Amino acid sequence: MTKNYLEIPEELYNKLSDYAENDQLSIRLENQQILLENPKINHTNKQNLALHYFIVPSLASGIIALLIFLSTNHPQIAFTGSRHLSVASLSIILSTLFGFFGFIWTYLRKSCDLSKSKFKIFRETLTLSVAYTSISFAVQIIFWYIIGKTFSGVTFDPFTAGFLVLVFVGIIFYFLISAALSITLPNLILLLFTTFIGGILVSMATNNQKDWWQHNFSFLGTGEATQHWQFNITLIFSALILLTITDFLFAEFSKSSLYNYKFKIIRVFYILIALLIAFVGIFQAQSWTMPIHNNSAFGLVAVVLIMIIFLKWLVPTISKEFLALSWTALIALILSAVAFMGIHYLSLTVFEIIAFAIAFTWLVMFINSLRGIIQEGNEWQVKLLQK
């Protein structure tokens, strides 16, 4: 009988043996990729997701909603609207509440690296749970706004309304639990972009009538701005997500033979940048906090400039394309500074937006470049044999 073999390097074998269960691995094809997994862990994840993490909270939300609807003594429950308790309002409240704690529970059980300190685990868990729950909350607000315009005046009996709450909460809860089970570096980068860009755009939109752009970009975080907490919280949470990304990236990097003191320096730079971003949000651009705010903002750009200047020394294997892109970003930052401070061509607001956008985009692209270097170090050549 013909036997088929897969010849792999010894280093890869040693790594796979850490994941094997009684020398057994399951293999499957997904998105044109071959995945090797511990069959026991994979089976357990699916069972827990279907039974414990999904069905029970959804049923609980449906029962709670039904009891609340029955207690109102209203024969009909509105689909949307705020006149009485509606399917929309209870769905948002219950899915946010159950989803927040469900995400925390799932992330701690399945996605946490136990080698990390308790403080890092706490920080990552709280940051990610708040970020993902906030995104789901915002999506639901938009969704129910559209539904309210589409199905205006629609009502249901309490039992049907309770069942609908169960369904909608189940959908959101499934999204949050799936996200907690599949936290990866690309997902975190997408989360950072979504949180940062979304929060800034909301802050701009809510202050449109105050002509914030005639002052400066930091006006959005001052007491004179409408709901200035949105801008400041966005920066603080973006900083926390960046710290989480840094932990994920360099935890993976530390297992590579490429990891050396230069990458430790890059890690310190990213931690410093995250702190500076948080300081911009914590210390408003007014009264006694103005110097700290300004120094943090300029310090952020300065650190990025230093990283670009020493990039070739820090990462000798960096691609020529990214190196050229980095120097282009450096030149753009210098030119924008000259256009603002030298010839006064740019206003303060435009200069701040350009500088922050270039620095933020470069930081994210540098993370992707470092991730690419890690992946190159985790590639092996294998052979298919038949005997």
Side-chain angles (χ1 to χ4, degrees):
M1 183 178 69
T2 302
K3 292 185 177 181
N4 301 316
Y5 299 89
L6 187 65
E7 185 179 83
I8 62 176
E10 184 176 356
E11 183 183 1
L12 177 59
Y13 174 81
N14 294 333
K15 288 184 177 292
L16 291 177
S17 62
D18 295 334
Y19 297 95
E21 179 74 21
N22 298 324
D23 295 329
Q24 296 291 320
L25 288 169
S26 65
I27 187 169
R28 61 190 175 92
L29 299 177
E30 182 177 310
N31 297 327
Q32 297 182 341
Q33 293 180 331
I34 299 175
L35 303 178
L36 287 171
E37 299 174 321
N38 183 320
K40 183 177 180 180
I41 293 178
N42 188 41
H43 177 72
T44 303
N45 281 346
K46 292 181 179 179
Q47 291 297 324
N48 288 340
L49 175 62
L51 298 177
H52 301 290
Y53 295 167
F54 173 61
I55 294 180
V56 174
S58 299
L59 288 174
S61 64
I63 294 172
I64 292 173
L66 176 60
L67 293 176
I68 292 176
F69 289 148
L70 291 175
S71 66
T72 61
N73 295 321
H74 289 291
Q76 292 293 110
I77 304 298
F79 195 27
T80 61
S82 57
R83 189 169 125 187
H84 303 297
L85 281 176
S86 62
V87 173
S89 60
L90 267 189
S91 296
I92 294 174
I93 294 172
L94 292 176
S95 62
T96 302
L97 183 63
F98 279 109
F100 176 75
F101 291 105
F103 189 101
I104 291 177
W105 175 260
T106 307
Y107 185 75
L108 289 175
R109 289 287 301 272
K110 297 298 178 182
S111 301
C112 249
D113 185 354
L114 298 179
S115 64
K116 297 178 182 178
S117 66
K118 291 183 179 180
F119 174 75
K120 283 187 177 180
I121 292 176
F122 172 79
R123 189 195 70 212
E124 289 179 7
T125 305
L126 185 60
T127 299
L128 295 176
S129 59
V130 171
Y132 275 99
T133 305
S134 299
I135 291 174
S136 69
F137 179 82
V139 170
Q140 288 181 85
I141 294 295
I142 297 173
F143 170 79
W144 285 113
Y145 175 80
I146 297 174
I147 292 297
K149 295 294 183 181
T150 307
F151 298 98
S152 178
V154 174
T155 61
F156 300 98
D157 65 87
F159 291 94
T160 303
F163 176 75
L164 289 174
V165 171
L166 182 153
V167 172
F168 287 117
V169 171
I171 293 172
I172 298 299
F173 198 80
Y174 183 83
F175 161 75
L176 290 172
I177 297 306
S178 299
L181 287 171
S182 58
I183 295 294
T184 60
L185 196 56
N187 290 343
L188 290 177
I189 294 174
L190 179 61
L191 176 65
L192 177 61
F193 259 110
T194 304
T195 302
F196 182 78
I197 302 300
I200 295 298
L201 289 178
V202 170
S203 299
M204 290 180 178
T206 55
N207 286 277
N208 184 49
Q209 293 181 346
K210 291 198 172 186
D211 294 334
W212 63 269
W213 47 271
Q214 294 184 6
H215 301 271
N216 53 58
F217 190 57
S218 298
F219 173 83
L220 297 172
T222 64
E224 299 178 24
T226 303
Q227 297 179 338
H228 61 277
W229 62 269
Q230 293 176 345
F231 179 81
N232 297 325
I233 289 296
T234 295
L235 293 178
I236 295 171
F237 261 97
S238 296
L240 290 173
I241 295 173
L242 184 58
L243 281 177
T244 302
I245 291 175
T246 302
D247 290 340
F248 269 75
L249 176 66
F250 288 96
E252 188 176 356
F253 226 137
S254 62
K255 301 174 184 177
S256 171
S257 58
L258 301 173
Y259 192 67
N260 54 36
Y261 75 96
K262 293 182 180 179
F263 288 104
K264 293 181 180 179
I265 295 175
I266 296 174
R267 183 173 192 170
V268 172
F269 276 140
Y270 266 99
I271 293 174
L272 178 59
I273 287 170
L275 292 175
L276 290 173
I277 293 175
F279 284 168
V280 173
I282 294 172
F283 300 100
Q284 300 178 9
Q286 56 188 17
S287 69
W288 65 271
T289 60
M290 178 69 82
I292 303 177
H293 177 92
N294 289 340
N295 289 330
S296 298
F298 284 114
L300 168 63
V301 177
V303 173
V304 172
L305 290 175
I306 293 172
M307 292 177 69
I308 294 176
I309 293 172
F310 292 97
L311 181 60
K312 186 61 179 178
W313 176 77
L314 290 170
V315 190
T317 57
I318 199 73
S319 66
K320 294 181 180 179
E321 293 78 10
F322 185 76
L323 190 61
L325 179 65
S326 300
W327 281 102
T328 302
L330 176 67
I331 294 172
L333 284 171
I334 294 175
L335 290 177
S336 61
V338 172
F340 166 61
M341 293 182 289
I343 62 177
H344 305 291
Y345 176 74
L346 297 178
S347 66
L348 176 58
T349 303
V350 175
F351 169 67
E352 287 180 327
I353 293 176
I354 291 175
F356 212 84
I358 293 175
F360 182 78
T361 304
W362 184 86
L363 287 171
V364 174
M365 294 181 69
F366 188 35
I367 290 174
N368 276 323
S369 296
L370 292 175
R371 178 170 165 265
I373 294 174
I374 297 174
Q375 291 177 335
E376 290 176 1
N378 289 333
E379 291 182 1
W380 295 271
Q381 298 295 321
V382 300
K383 289 184 180 180
L384 295 174
L385 302 176
Q386 191 176 69
K387 294 183 180 180

